[in-house]
Amino acid sequence: MFTFSIKGQDYCITSDYSPNKSLLLNTTHPDYSQYAFCVKIYVHVIRKDNHTGGQSISDVNEALSYLDLDFNPYQIYFDWDNIINYIDDTAIFDNPAGYWLSLPENQDGVDIYLFDDSVVHPVTGLGYGSTTNVGETSKLMVTGYFVGYEELLYSLPKSHILSHEMGHVFNLWHTHHGEDSNEDPDACDELVDGSNSDVCGDYITDTPADPNMGFNIDLSNCEWTGSGVEDNGDWYDPDEKNIMSYSHPYCMEYLTFEQSKRIKTALAVFPFLQLVSTYSNSAVNPCATSLLNYYPNSSNEVLNLDLTNKAFNTIYTFNLCDSYGNVVLSGESQNVLNTLDVSSLDEGIYYLHFFENGELTIKQIIINH
Ligand SMILES: [Zn+2]
């Protein structure tokens, strides 16, 4: 159906197909940009049969530090239970691309598969990362190394490429999306003057038009070595520091505010991302209050609000609002299991507002009879 173009250098082999694009772009969503989000993650490390090779505990922490570095400035945090799931299988270790899609996927967290720094792509001879298309599943992988300034070798799992693939999970396209898209029927070239930046390119207005730098970057100054003009005759000036570009991993530094806004919308409205995340209207990291357990979601007859992991001797208040903001159910509780009868509510999307020590956490609840 579609093919990846593996270039001489290519650190990401994610297809630009996005099954949820219309949900993201073609409907009017609330502005979630000032909310804080917590994303649950699972970390899997692939080793050889004899338990050797692969990323060490300190390597994993270094890799995850890139997620914090790139997402925390926008109040997007990650919640990891500090448990590494080791997969000790030499066949998988040696062939990430052949096996990683068949590895298990948790529904309530993003699965991060970290392969060994030594295992490269058989064609490019370099490391690579991948997700299953853009904004489709909560699963990603990174393997191998890249060649940085003065030919030094760097680990790709311990680089901004981990954030790049996480960006794809959160429905960010490449900044050059539209230039050479295989899978997006609406794709069109973004103009340098920004006049079509909301409907072409990566559909993000604060990333400059990007013709696809193809990793052709002068590593001594992180400047794109190419040049060219778009249809208006204006010279391209792409952002070599943007993590979602085909700049070079050595030069990547950040995501933009509009990219963070896109991520938060996707986390709030995509069903598969709702399952892995929670959000709050406070500035406090909502991962710190993520002991709120509720199930099932979607709910039919009852919604269980399990506060048994919460602190003793505190009164917690909660309410359930419909999508118009009307409170349809409310209550107070100590740290016990609450079984809420939702059988009489109309089907649809609701919001559970949970108050703890003055902080509000909001969870999206689907009622489906
Ligand atoms: Zn990519």
Side-chain angles (χ1 to χ4, degrees):
M1 188 69 188
F2 56 87
T3 57
F4 298 121
S5 67
I6 307 289
K7 304 185 186 72
Q9 303 174 70
D10 201 337
Y11 295 105
C12 170
I13 58 171
T14 299
S15 155
D16 61 13
Y17 173 65
S18 177
N20 291 303
K21 181 188 166 192
S22 59
L23 174 64
L24 188 76
L25 299 180
N26 295 349
T27 55
T28 303
H29 301 295
D31 180 354
Y32 297 99
S33 63
Q34 300 306 314
Y35 285 47
F37 283 73
C38 175
V39 179
K40 185 176 172 65
I41 56 173
Y42 290 94
V43 176
H44 310 268
V45 166
I46 292 80
R47 302 186 297 192
K48 296 179 182 175
D49 289 338
N50 62 3
H51 317 307
T52 64
Q55 306 291 338
S56 69
I57 292 172
S58 65
D59 289 333
V60 168
N61 281 292
E62 185 181 342
L64 298 182
S65 73
Y66 279 89
L67 296 179
D68 291 341
L69 187 68
D70 298 331
F71 292 91
N72 289 5
Y74 296 111
Q75 291 77 50
I76 299 166
Y77 303 95
F78 295 90
D79 179 25
W80 180 44
D81 59 8
N82 285 293
I83 296 171
I84 297 173
N85 174 41
Y86 290 104
I87 299 170
D88 294 331
D89 187 317
T90 303
I92 299 173
F93 181 93
D94 288 337
N95 184 7
Y99 285 99
W100 89 277
L101 277 174
S102 62
L103 297 174
E105 181 176 350
N106 289 289
Q107 296 304 309
D108 64 342
V110 178
D111 290 279
I112 298 173
Y113 284 93
L114 299 177
F115 287 82
D116 194 72
D117 291 352
S118 68
V119 179
V120 296
H121 194 281
V123 175
T124 66
L126 293 166
Y128 58 98
S130 187
T131 61
T132 48
N133 300 315
V134 171
E136 182 172 56
T137 67
S138 54
K139 189 175 181 183
L140 66 88
M141 62 79 70
V142 189
T143 190
Y145 61 83
F146 67 94
V147 183
Y149 185 50
E150 295 186 327
E151 304 298 310
L152 290 172
L153 303 185
Y154 295 85
S155 163
L156 202 65
K158 299 183 281 285
S159 80
H160 293 288
I161 291 293
L162 181 60
S163 299
H164 175 112
E165 299 304 332
M166 188 65 78
H168 285 318
V169 169
F170 295 159
N171 214 116
L172 293 183
W173 283 276
H174 295 131
T175 51
H176 58 266
H177 182 69
E179 291 290 333
D180 57 357
S181 172
N182 296 317
E183 289 298 316
D184 181 355
D186 306 319
C188 46
D189 292 359
E190 185 173 348
L191 295 167
V192 168
D193 67 10
S195 58
N196 67 355
S197 64
D198 55 339
V199 293
C200 289
D202 58 359
Y203 313 108
I204 298 260
T205 54
D206 65 353
T207 55
D210 178 350
N212 189 353
M213 293 179 274
F215 303 103
N216 296 309
I217 304 293
D218 180 345
L219 297 183
S220 70
N221 57 14
C222 287
E223 297 277 337
W224 176 43
T225 58
S227 66
V229 296
E230 34 78 303
D231 291 346
N232 282 350
D234 289 330
W235 291 90
Y236 280 111
D237 184 19
D239 185 355
E240 297 93 341
K241 294 180 179 176
N242 196 290
I243 288 166
M244 297 311 296
S245 73
Y246 270 10
S247 176
H248 194 283
Y250 183 77
C251 297
M252 293 176 173
E253 282 188 21
Y254 51 69
L255 299 165
T256 67
F257 171 78
E258 290 294 336
Q259 286 175 318
S260 79
K261 190 174 175 181
R262 156 79 52 77
I263 289 169
K264 292 180 179 183
T265 302
L267 288 171
V269 306
F270 285 8
F272 82 94
L273 290 177
Q274 290 170 358
L275 293 176
V276 307
S277 66
T278 181
Y279 59 88
S280 165
N281 71 347
S282 81
V284 175
N285 174 355
C287 291
T289 56
S290 64
L291 294 174
L292 184 62
N293 290 322
Y294 60 101
Y295 55 90
N297 193 18
S298 60
S299 302
N300 176 5
E301 296 291 313
V302 298
L303 171 64
N304 294 294
L305 179 59
D306 184 355
L307 305 180
T308 51
N309 287 327
K310 293 271 173 203
F312 179 67
N313 236 348
T314 302
I315 299 293
Y316 302 95
T317 60
F318 56 87
N319 55 54
L320 192 64
C321 297
D322 64 18
S323 55
Y324 302 102
N326 302 312
V327 176
V328 297
L329 188 158
S330 64
E332 287 185 346
S333 171
Q334 292 189 319
N335 60 332
V336 298
L337 174 65
N338 297 270
T339 301
L340 311 176
D341 180 0
V342 296
S343 61
S344 63
L345 297 179
D346 291 340
E347 289 191 354
I349 293 173
Y350 293 79
Y351 296 91
L352 175 65
H353 291 212
F354 181 77
F355 297 88
E356 178 174 8
N357 299 325
E359 300 292 346
L360 169 62
T361 298
I362 301 170
K363 302 263 191 183
Q364 194 159 345
I365 306 290
I366 297 167
I367 305 293
N368 194 0
H369 299 302

